[in-house]
Amino acid sequence: MLMKEVELRGSPSLSMILVNCFQLLYVADALWNEEAVLTTMDIVHDGFGFMLVFGDLAWVPFTYSLQASFLVVHPQTLSLLKAAVIVALNGAGYYIFRKSNSQKNQFRRDPTHPSVSGLETIATATGKRLLVSGWWGLVRHPNYLGDLLMALAWSLPCGFAHLLPYFYVIYFTVLLIHREARDERQCRAKYGLAWDTYCRRVPYRIFPYIY
C-alpha cells in the first residue's frame, strides 16, 4: 500500500508512514515475544479450528490492512501536532499492552522472579494464584485496553470523513468484549470462589472506571 502511494503520488504521506510503522511494531512485537502466544486463550482453550484458520489467513490480513488501503484511494493530510498526538496514543497503548502481557507471562513462568515476586495474589483451589496488583490489579484485561488504544491509533491517521477505516477498531472492541465474557465464564468455572474474590478486588474488566 505504501509503495502504491509512492507510485501514484511520488512519496508516501505522513498518514501512510504512521500506519505502516504502527503495524510493523505490532508484527515485530508478536514475533519477538512469540513464546507468549502459547499461554493465550487461543491456544490454551480454543485450540486449532475454523476460527484460527479463517481468522489468521483471511480475516486478520483483510481487516488489519483496511487503513493503508483506504489511504491509497483517499489520501489524508496530517499536521505534525496531530501526528504527535496519534504517536503518543499508540505509544501508550503499546506500553500497556507489552508491559501487562510481559508481567503475566513472567508470573506464569516464574512467580519467584524479582519483577513479579512482590505482587499481591489470591490463592485458588487449583493451586494457582491470581494477580490482584500491578497491571492486573488495574483492570482484569489490561492487555485488551492497550490493544484497543493501538487499534484506535491505527485508524486516526485516516481522518473522520469515512467509517471504513474505523471498522477494525469497532469490530475489535466487540470481539474483545465477547472474548472477555468467554474468559470470565471459564475462569469462574475453574477458580470458583477465588474468582469472585478477584472480581470484587478488580471490578473493572477492560476500561478503568467505565467497564
Side-chain angles (χ1 to χ4, degrees):
M1 302 300 179
L2 184 145
M3 293 311 299
K4 183 63 179 179
E5 190 174 53
V6 171
E7 178 186 314
L8 292 173
R9 302 181 185 95
S11 63
S13 65
L14 180 56
S15 295
M16 180 68 81
I17 291 172
L18 287 185
V19 168
N20 275 255
C21 287
F22 293 162
Q23 295 182 345
L24 178 61
L25 173 64
Y26 197 77
V27 172
D29 177 87
L31 294 175
W32 185 260
N33 298 283
E34 192 174 18
E35 79 281 354
V37 174
L38 297 176
T39 61
T40 62
M41 189 175 181
D42 292 328
I43 303 301
V44 176
H45 295 291
D46 295 338
F48 186 75
F50 175 79
M51 185 174 70
L52 278 184
V53 173
F54 176 77
D56 290 344
L57 296 181
W59 186 253
V60 166
F62 174 76
T63 55
Y64 279 46
S65 61
L66 277 177
Q67 295 88 358
S69 180
F70 177 85
L71 288 172
V72 170
V73 183
H74 305 280
Q76 301 292 315
T77 301
L78 200 63
S79 70
L80 291 178
L81 177 60
K82 290 180 180 178
V85 171
I86 295 171
V87 168
L89 177 64
N90 191 78
Y94 177 74
Y95 183 82
I96 296 170
F97 172 81
R98 175 46 38 219
K99 285 293 187 178
S100 59
N101 274 328
S102 294
Q103 189 176 75
K104 176 184 67 175
N105 198 43
Q106 184 62 61
F107 183 78
R108 285 177 172 174
R109 287 193 304 172
D110 180 14
T112 64
H113 191 275
S115 65
V116 294
S117 60
L119 296 176
E120 188 180 355
T121 61
I122 293 175
T124 71
T126 65
K128 294 184 177 181
R129 305 187 73 85
L130 299 173
L131 285 171
V132 290
S133 62
W135 288 104
W136 300 87
L138 177 66
V139 290
R140 297 179 210 167
H141 296 277
N143 51 337
Y144 291 1
L145 173 62
D147 233 339
L148 289 172
L149 290 177
M150 286 190 288
L152 179 59
W154 293 10
S155 302
L156 288 174
C158 300
F160 300 101
H162 204 290
L163 186 62
L164 182 63
Y166 293 87
F167 172 78
Y168 168 58
V169 67
I170 293 170
Y171 125 78
F172 201 36
T173 301
V174 174
L175 180 145
L176 289 182
I177 289 175
H178 178 262
R179 185 186 180 97
E180 182 275 330
R182 289 193 296 126
D183 186 52
E184 184 86 8
R185 289 194 297 271
Q186 291 170 353
C187 287
R188 179 162 277 108
K190 183 177 181 179
Y191 299 120
L193 292 176
W195 184 254
D196 293 332
T197 302
Y198 170 71
C199 291
R200 287 194 294 271
R201 289 289 303 275
V202 187
Y204 299 105
R205 299 168 183 248
I206 300 176
F207 304 102
Y209 306 105
I210 299 175
Y211 174 74

